[in-house]
């Protein structure tokens, strides 16, 4: 195949070389960023007198037409082109003739691809951010409906203390708030350093205006070292890290939903449309969506490791290895978007089985801390109260009776401080409502979290 870069070589490559060299199947996703970058480049060159205003107009019109035609489907991307950058340039020359050949003055594919991917990453950070906002919104809405729903709160997967289901959901909203901060931070760093103008690796002999070109593209500054600019893929690593952390959160929620859907738990039910059946067991209703999101997390982590490994041994400046960066990036962005989209629906449609959660919370002496706290309020030091409460729990286990059902006379065998108000104090509802410290599980505190999350989305 003949190449635009035919120069020292005749530009004819063996078909196997074409196959291994080609990235268009992956980087075709960058056509909008590529054209936007090229339009800014033409504008900058015209301003600097590197090309005439008339030539720049022609180039810009040609590029605008190419973008419209790719988007509308009128122009099919030629999969035999080496990459999207070569395809767009070749198509421009096909359309406007020799003027198209001026576009690549004072730049290289090295700074061009670094620019395009930075723009892609900034856009992806925005898209994922918007989806996280939607997810936080449904979490807050669901939490508002369930502030008073009591479930067992766990540590070590053992019943620990009663919590509000709303509190449990809002824990995830807080995780996604941090995820949004990471995305914003990553985007800020991307947009502060435009690589365009670094050219192949050493800058250019032309009198370019990098600040101007960067400004046209929404960047706030330029990368200060040309060699760093063309070989830097930190933005990929940062975005892939942020996406991995998002998936870690999505996967934890997946795991909980899968567990809650089991017959053993039965805390939530998913509508039939959000589950799948088994080809052999007619009774099955499987939470595949949550399982797949949990499973896809492995792939998103793998993409981060794949990229870090690709980058670790690279000497300065650009090396073709770097072309392998885009597959893991696009895959992670697309996977994370799909999973968040799925969870926006799953959280919304998930039906909460209040009774089942309550029945479960009644098991396991989940209010033992409350009994200790009760004794402290009556004047006993906490460590003693802990001890007495522990003894009462053992006593109750021996008699198979719940703490809140133990008759007052039997309580009194352990401490005179215990009075008849103990039963009300040990009800699960009171236990939950009394945890009214900031960030605690009382409906009042959960409502404050909901209001906070709503104020930032
Ligand atoms: N398709 C290439 C990539 O994605 C473009 C850069 C090619 N640069 C070069 N010096 N051959 O990295």
């Amino acid at each position: 195949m003949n190449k635009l870069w035919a120069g020292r070589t005749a530009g004819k490559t063996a078909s196997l070389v074409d196959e291994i060299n080609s990235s268009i199947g992956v980087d075709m996703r960058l056509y909008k960023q590529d054209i936007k970058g090229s339009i800014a480049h033409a504008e900058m060159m015209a301003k600097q007198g590197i090309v005439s205003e008339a030539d720049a107009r022609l180039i810009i019109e040609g590029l605008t037409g190419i973008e419209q035609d790719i988007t509308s489907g009128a122009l099919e991307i030629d999969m035999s082109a080496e990459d999207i950058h070569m395809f767009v340039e070749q198509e421009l020359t096909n359309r406007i003739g020799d003027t198209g050949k001026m576009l690549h003055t004072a730049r290289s594919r090295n700074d061009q691809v670094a620019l395009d991917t930075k723009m892609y990453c900034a856009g992806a950070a925005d898209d994922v951010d918007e989806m996280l906002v939607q997810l936080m919104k449904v979490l807050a809405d669901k939490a508002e409906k369930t502030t008073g729903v009591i479930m067992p709160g766990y540590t070590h997967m053992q019943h620990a203390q009663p919590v509000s289901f709303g509190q449990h959901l809002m824990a995830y909203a807080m995780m996604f708030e941090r995820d949004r901060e990471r995305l914003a931070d990553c985007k800020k760093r991307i947009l502060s350093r435009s690589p365009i103008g670094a050219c192949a690796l050493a800058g250019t002999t032309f009198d370019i205006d990098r600040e101007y070109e960067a400004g046209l593209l929404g960047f706030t500054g330029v990368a200060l070292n040309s060699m760093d600019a063309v070989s830097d893929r930190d933005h990929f690593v940062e975005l892939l890290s942020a996406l991995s952390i998002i998936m870690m959160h999505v996967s934890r929620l997946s795991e909980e939903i899968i567990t809650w859907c089991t017959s053993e738990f039965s805390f939530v039910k998913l509508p039939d449309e959000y589950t799948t059946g088994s080809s052999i067991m007619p009774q099955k209703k499987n939470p595949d969506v949550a399982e797949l999101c949990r499973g896809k997390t492995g792939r998103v982590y793998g993409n981060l490791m794949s990229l870090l490994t690709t980058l670790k041994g690279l000497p300065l400046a650009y090396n073709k290895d770097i072309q392998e960066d885009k597959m893991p990036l696009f895959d992670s962005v697309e996977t994370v978007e799909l999973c968040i989209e799925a969870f926006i629906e799953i959280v919304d449609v998930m039906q909460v089985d209040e009774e089942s959660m309550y029945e479960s919370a009644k098991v396991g002496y989940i209010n033992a801390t409350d009994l200790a706290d009760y004794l402290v309020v009556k004047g006993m030091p906490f460590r003693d109260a802990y001890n007495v409460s522990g003894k009462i729990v053992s006593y109750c286990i021996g008699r198979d009776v719940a703490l809140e059902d133990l008759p007052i006379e039997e309580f009194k065998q352990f401490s005179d401080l215990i009075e008849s108000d103990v039963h009300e104090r040990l009800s699960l509802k009171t236990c939950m409502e009394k945890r009214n410290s900031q960030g605690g599980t009382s409906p009042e505190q959960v409502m404050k979290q909901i209001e906070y999350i709503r104020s930032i989305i």
Side-chain angles (χ1 to χ4, degrees):
M1 163 150 327
N2 288 313
K3 295 293 181 318
L4 282 180
W5 45 255
R8 174 184 171 170
T9 70
K12 286 195 199 310
T13 44
S15 65
L16 192 68
V17 173
D18 287 341
E19 195 182 330
I20 199 163
N21 203 26
S22 164
S23 61
I24 193 145
V26 174
D27 59 33
M28 57 188 279
R29 291 172 181 79
L30 294 174
Y31 79 90
K32 284 193 173 162
Q33 289 82 357
D34 192 68
I35 290 173
K36 190 173 172 196
S38 289
I39 289 175
H41 191 61
E43 282 182 19
M44 184 281 291
M45 287 201 292
K47 179 180 97 62
Q48 295 299 98
I50 301 168
V51 299
S52 71
E53 281 290 342
D55 285 337
R57 284 302 119 215
L58 202 58
I59 290 172
I60 291 166
E61 274 165 30
L63 289 168
T64 309
I66 294 171
E67 184 186 341
Q68 282 165 357
D69 291 351
I70 296 177
T71 304
S72 72
L75 173 62
E76 216 175 293
I77 295 175
D78 176 5
M79 288 299 151
S80 70
E82 190 174 309
D83 60 25
I84 190 66
H85 323 289
M86 290 305 212
F87 171 74
V88 171
E89 190 186 328
Q90 181 65 63
E91 178 63 23
L92 181 69
T93 302
N94 293 346
R95 290 187 180 202
I96 66 168
D98 280 354
T99 308
K101 296 179 184 168
M102 295 176 178
L103 174 62
H104 211 53
T105 317
R107 77 170 183 188
S108 147
R109 259 190 302 164
N110 298 349
D111 56 345
Q112 187 182 356
V113 72
L115 174 71
D116 294 356
T117 56
K118 276 199 161 183
M119 289 195 285
Y120 172 88
C121 287
D126 274 345
D127 294 345
V128 174
D129 181 74
E130 253 170 59
M131 299 181 84
L132 286 177
V133 165
Q134 291 312 310
L135 182 52
M136 288 160 83
K137 192 177 168 311
V138 290
L139 281 167
D141 290 349
K142 200 71 162 188
E144 187 175 21
K145 290 187 195 115
T146 54
T147 52
V149 173
I150 298 167
M151 71 181 284
Y154 296 83
T155 63
H156 312 264
M157 267 311 264
Q158 305 289 317
H159 284 198
Q161 290 172 349
V163 295
S164 144
F165 186 66
Q167 170 82 343
H168 199 120
L169 291 179
M170 290 312 288
Y172 284 95
M174 300 302 168
M175 297 179 211
F176 296 128
E177 179 199 14
R178 293 193 294 276
D179 288 328
R180 292 187 64 209
E181 287 170 0
R182 272 182 279 272
L183 291 171
D185 183 56
C186 172
K187 184 182 161 193
K188 196 174 88 205
R189 208 171 357 269
I190 289 172
L191 292 182
S192 68
R193 298 288 178 214
S194 160
I196 198 72
C199 299
L201 77 164
T204 177
T205 55
F206 292 96
D207 176 28
I208 56 174
D209 185 343
R210 290 188 61 204
E211 303 274 354
Y212 175 77
E213 191 167 342
L216 291 177
L217 296 168
F219 284 80
T220 56
V222 300
L224 297 177
N225 179 294
S226 60
M227 294 178 80
D228 174 47
V230 289
S231 56
D232 167 29
R233 290 295 182 276
D234 290 5
H235 48 297
F236 280 60
V237 178
E238 287 186 25
L239 186 58
L240 282 176
S241 306
L243 295 176
S244 295
I245 298 172
I246 292 171
M247 284 305 281
M248 182 259 287
H249 295 149
V250 167
S251 189
R252 291 182 75 173
L253 184 53
S254 301
E255 170 66 18
E256 306 234 60
I257 290 175
I258 294 161
T259 311
W260 292 339
C261 284
T262 59
S263 324
E264 286 77 7
F265 275 76
S266 296
F267 285 1
V268 302
K269 280 188 187 57
L270 295 174
D272 289 355
E273 313 89 86
Y274 290 87
T275 60
T276 58
S278 151
S279 59
I280 174 173
M281 297 167 282
Q283 86 285 9
K284 288 301 286 291
K285 191 174 155 184
N286 299 325
D288 287 32
V289 176
E291 292 170 85
L292 283 164
C293 290
R294 187 177 58 180
K296 285 172 190 290
T297 303
R299 224 176 69 226
V300 172
Y301 289 0
N303 287 338
L304 171 63
M305 285 318 296
S306 147
L307 180 72
L308 284 169
T309 310
T310 300
L311 297 176
K312 76 181 259 293
L314 297 183
L316 290 177
Y318 179 87
N319 298 273
K320 199 62 181 262
D321 317 43
I322 295 179
Q323 179 165 282
E324 293 295 313
D325 59 2
K326 284 173 280 300
M327 182 102 74
L329 176 73
F330 296 145
D331 182 55
S332 284
V333 170
E334 285 160 20
T335 303
V336 169
E337 288 183 353
L338 181 64
C339 292
I340 301 176
E341 219 172 304
F343 264 84
I344 292 169
E345 294 193 26
I346 291 281
V347 171
D348 185 37
V349 299
M350 159 171 102
Q351 296 148 6
V352 178
D353 190 335
E354 224 172 296
E355 222 177 274
S356 186
M357 284 187 192
Y358 188 75
E359 285 307 311
S360 172
K362 281 194 347 204
V363 177
Y365 303 92
I366 204 163
N367 43 7
T369 318
D370 290 80
L371 177 56
D373 287 357
Y374 170 89
L375 288 165
V376 169
V377 171
K378 298 279 178 184
M380 193 182 283
F382 179 76
R383 196 43 69 201
D384 295 338
Y386 171 94
N387 208 270
V388 171
S389 175
K391 287 198 174 110
I392 299 175
V393 169
S394 302
Y395 178 85
C396 287
I397 291 171
R399 277 155 190 74
D400 196 20
V401 59
L403 273 181
E404 61 273 32
D405 296 334
L406 189 70
I408 184 69
E409 313 77 59
E410 291 179 58
F411 267 122
K412 286 218 175 270
Q413 294 168 17
F414 294 91
S415 170
D416 273 348
L417 294 173
I418 304 178
E419 291 166 75
S420 58
D421 59 348
V422 73
H423 292 115
E424 206 287 311
R425 176 62 189 86
L426 291 179
S427 83
L428 298 186
K429 187 164 179 285
T430 310
C431 295
M432 184 182 76
E433 284 174 357
K434 278 219 161 245
R435 287 200 163 67
N436 198 30
S437 54
Q438 192 179 18
T441 192
S442 72
E444 188 187 327
Q445 291 299 326
V446 176
M447 218 35 237
K448 282 191 181 162
Q449 298 171 44
I450 294 168
E451 280 156 17
Y452 168 72
I453 287 295
R454 285 180 176 156
S455 76
I456 59 158
I457 59 181

